[in-house]
Amino acid sequence: MASRGFLAAGYKYIQLDCGWGARDDSRNASTGAINVDTGAFPSGLQSLSQTARSKGFIWNGPAASQNAPKTARTDFPTRFGTMWNALQSVGISGMLVCQWGTPYSSPTGLEGPNDWTRGISTSFRLSDDIVTGFSNIYRIYNEAIHIAKSGLIGPGHFADADLLEVGNPGMTFDEQATHFAFWAMVKSALMISTDVNALSAQTVAVLQNSDLIAINQDSAGKPITLVQRFTNDYDIWVGDLSNGDKAVLAVDLSNKTRTLTVNFSILGISSANVKNLWDQSTATGISSYSKSVNAHGTLALRLSSVKSSITSAPKINWAEAEAGALSSGAAKASCSGCSGGSKAGNLGGSGNGTLILSNILTSQATQSVRFDYINGEVGFSFGTAENERLASVSVNGKAPVTVSFPLSGYNWDKDVYANYLVQLSGFSTTSANTITVFASGSGFAPDIDRVGVMA
């Protein structure tokens, strides 16, 4: 790692993941120490540690094999709090809670790790383990959306998206680059987990991209947040940096080589200077940026000399979902976190539950419609879940569009994702409209709190 430039790039910690240093779960009867796997580490861990330190690395040693289960428990804060207090008492200030994005069953309902790990950790795993393939990146990516939006993470409490799969089989080069750019900009730890001796120069350049590492290590510690998802097309993300610059990420979801365009108006910006963090090209005083990307590729940008747009807050006409027409099994349900104390649920399923909102008045034929919704269906590794629910949305009975609604939290009673923007067209500006929502496919759509259109 040192000879290939990783230490100089900032990768200064050497870490053995939980249990990998031991040959089994047994311990030395007299000392209590783990029995080191001498097949994998013939010279022992002490020798490995000394070698790492001699080259300038910091040795973290093997982590404890005490992963939490994947079902909600009532003892998470006390269980991990005990370890936190023990570490603090011996001067160790940092601790990662690795519980796979599993919520805590509190007296008031389920709480996500971004809530319950505050005060007992400096970092927490936001999801289940990463495994090979871009679908697993997308699963973690979707779980990170509501956590980044929460405003609860930053210095002293970072979200950890798990190890990097860059350099391992299962993804194209561009998918690996997207994976790295997102991990860097969402402020996850960057932990290489591959044979660095086997890496191509092109892959090393991704892992040692100084501009993305600088954003990852920015002192403000603010993650990028999702601005808008254009389902099966692309996502736009933006985040603040300590010097007033903006980090911007546009992610292709079409899985096709195409040109991606970021119109800065969607970011509330009238103009900015731009640096493309992949090819180092720059542009000055522009209001949009376009570049060709490969399938599942990204535009990774840093904006400087940012001039904000001056716009007034839009006036929104809201329609409460529970007041709409519910049929085929769709039903009104109580919801303490919802605007009217209720929501429309059971949309989809075997009965294809359906919601129809009527008498919708708007001034725009095409617009970004606001959805306040709940999706608390958490997906874990080694399955097909991608931490999103798909809905079909139709305006005035026209052909429905498929809309992805990523995970909003863990508690179906209160974890509302507010103001999720969905691009829809076909509205009449002179008469009342209808919006119909049902599931896409055989699964369920999210529960809907309310829907808002431009007045």
Side-chain angles (χ1 to χ4, degrees):
M1 288 188 70
S3 64
R4 297 208 71 181
F6 287 99
L7 179 60
Y11 294 93
K12 59 183 180 179
Y13 294 95
I14 300 291
Q15 172 74 54
L16 288 184
D17 203 358
C18 56
W20 287 99
R23 64 171 182 262
D24 51 39
D25 290 334
S26 65
R27 291 179 176 268
N28 184 287
S30 58
T31 67
I34 63 172
N35 289 317
V36 175
D37 183 352
T38 53
F41 305 100
S43 299
L45 295 183
Q46 184 177 12
S47 175
L48 179 60
S49 170
Q50 291 171 343
T51 300
R53 294 182 188 205
S54 72
K55 295 180 178 296
F57 291 100
I58 299 171
W59 174 259
N60 276 350
S65 182
Q66 288 294 318
N67 289 315
K70 296 180 184 178
T71 54
R73 290 173 56 137
T74 60
D75 66 347
F76 280 164
T78 54
R79 182 184 189 193
F80 288 103
T82 299
M83 176 64 80
W84 170 258
N85 291 333
L87 292 175
Q88 299 298 300
S89 70
V90 294
I92 299 175
S93 59
M95 186 177 94
L96 164 66
V97 169
C98 182
Q99 52 64 69
W100 298 319
T102 308
Y104 156 55
S105 184
S106 79
T108 58
L110 296 180
E111 291 182 9
N114 50 321
D115 286 299
W116 68 259
T117 61
R118 286 185 293 168
I120 58 169
S121 73
T122 51
S123 183
F124 65 93
R125 275 281 294 281
L126 66 86
S127 71
D128 195 8
D129 288 347
I130 193 170
V131 291
T132 58
F134 190 75
S135 63
N136 282 283
I137 303 301
Y138 188 64
R139 168 181 55 82
I140 296 171
Y141 175 98
N142 278 333
E143 195 159 359
I145 289 173
H146 76 93
I147 290 174
K149 185 177 186 287
S150 71
L152 298 177
I153 62 175
H157 192 233
F158 286 105
D160 172 22
D162 202 8
L163 308 174
L164 291 167
E165 284 289 319
V166 178
N168 293 331
M171 288 188 285
T172 68
F173 172 78
D174 292 279
E175 289 172 340
Q176 293 183 46
T178 292
H179 164 33
F180 182 80
F182 180 72
W183 260 233
M185 287 193 179
V186 84
K187 306 301 167 63
S188 172
L190 302 177
M191 296 179 283
I192 298 170
S193 62
T194 192
D195 181 359
V196 296
N197 291 319
L199 292 175
S200 68
Q202 187 183 34
T203 304
V204 169
V206 169
L207 290 168
Q208 295 182 8
N209 185 297
S210 59
D211 289 309
L212 284 169
I213 292 174
I215 288 174
N216 179 258
Q217 297 291 301
D218 183 77
S219 61
K222 294 183 178 180
I224 54 172
T225 57
L226 182 68
V227 177
Q228 187 162 358
R229 168 165 292 177
F230 299 88
T231 300
N232 296 324
D233 195 1
Y234 65 99
D235 282 351
I236 298 287
W237 298 72
V238 68
D240 296 329
L241 300 174
S242 57
N243 68 345
D245 288 359
K246 302 281 189 181
V248 175
L249 192 69
V251 181
D252 170 61
L253 300 179
S254 72
N255 199 20
K256 298 176 182 177
T257 298
R258 42 84 69 89
T259 297
L260 274 181
T261 297
V262 179
N263 290 307
F264 296 168
S265 59
I266 198 174
L267 310 176
I269 294 171
S270 60
S271 68
N273 298 339
V274 178
K275 183 176 184 179
N276 184 317
L277 306 185
W278 290 132
D279 65 14
Q280 311 305 307
S281 61
T282 59
T284 303
I286 60 175
S287 59
S288 67
Y289 186 86
S290 298
K291 193 82 172 182
S292 177
V293 301
N294 291 327
H296 286 158
T298 52
L299 293 180
L301 310 175
R302 183 166 183 147
L303 308 188
S304 59
S305 299
V306 175
K307 295 182 179 179
S308 300
S309 304
I310 301 175
T311 57
S312 57
K315 184 178 179 181
I316 305 298
N317 288 336
W318 289 100
E320 292 289 339
E322 69 274 13
L326 299 168
S327 62
S328 303
K332 177 180 177 179
S334 62
C335 175
S336 66
C338 293
S339 58
S342 299
K343 63 181 180 178
N346 205 35
L347 302 176
S350 59
N352 197 26
T354 300
L355 162 68
I356 300 177
L357 298 171
S358 302
N359 299 316
I360 305 295
L361 300 177
T362 184
S363 61
Q364 296 185 8
T366 298
Q367 60 184 287
S368 291
V369 177
R370 288 159 169 76
F371 282 76
D372 290 4
Y373 74 90
I374 298 179
N375 173 13
E377 185 179 1
V378 181
F380 294 100
S381 301
F382 310 108
T384 59
E386 293 187 335
N387 283 321
E388 65 179 349
R389 281 193 168 189
L390 300 177
S392 294
V393 182
S394 171
V395 175
N396 292 328
K398 295 181 173 64
V401 297
T402 300
V403 180
S404 163
F405 290 90
L407 195 71
S408 69
Y410 309 88
N411 193 323
W412 286 94
D413 179 59
K414 65 180 182 180
D415 287 349
V416 177
Y417 193 113
N419 288 292
Y420 183 74
L421 300 178
V422 176
Q423 187 78 1
L424 296 174
S425 59
F427 290 99
S428 170
T429 60
T430 58
S431 59
N433 299 273
T434 62
I435 297 176
T436 303
V437 183
F438 53 98
S440 177
S442 60
F444 286 92
D447 292 354
I448 306 297
D449 172 12
R450 61 179 183 170
V451 178
V453 298
M454 297 293 291

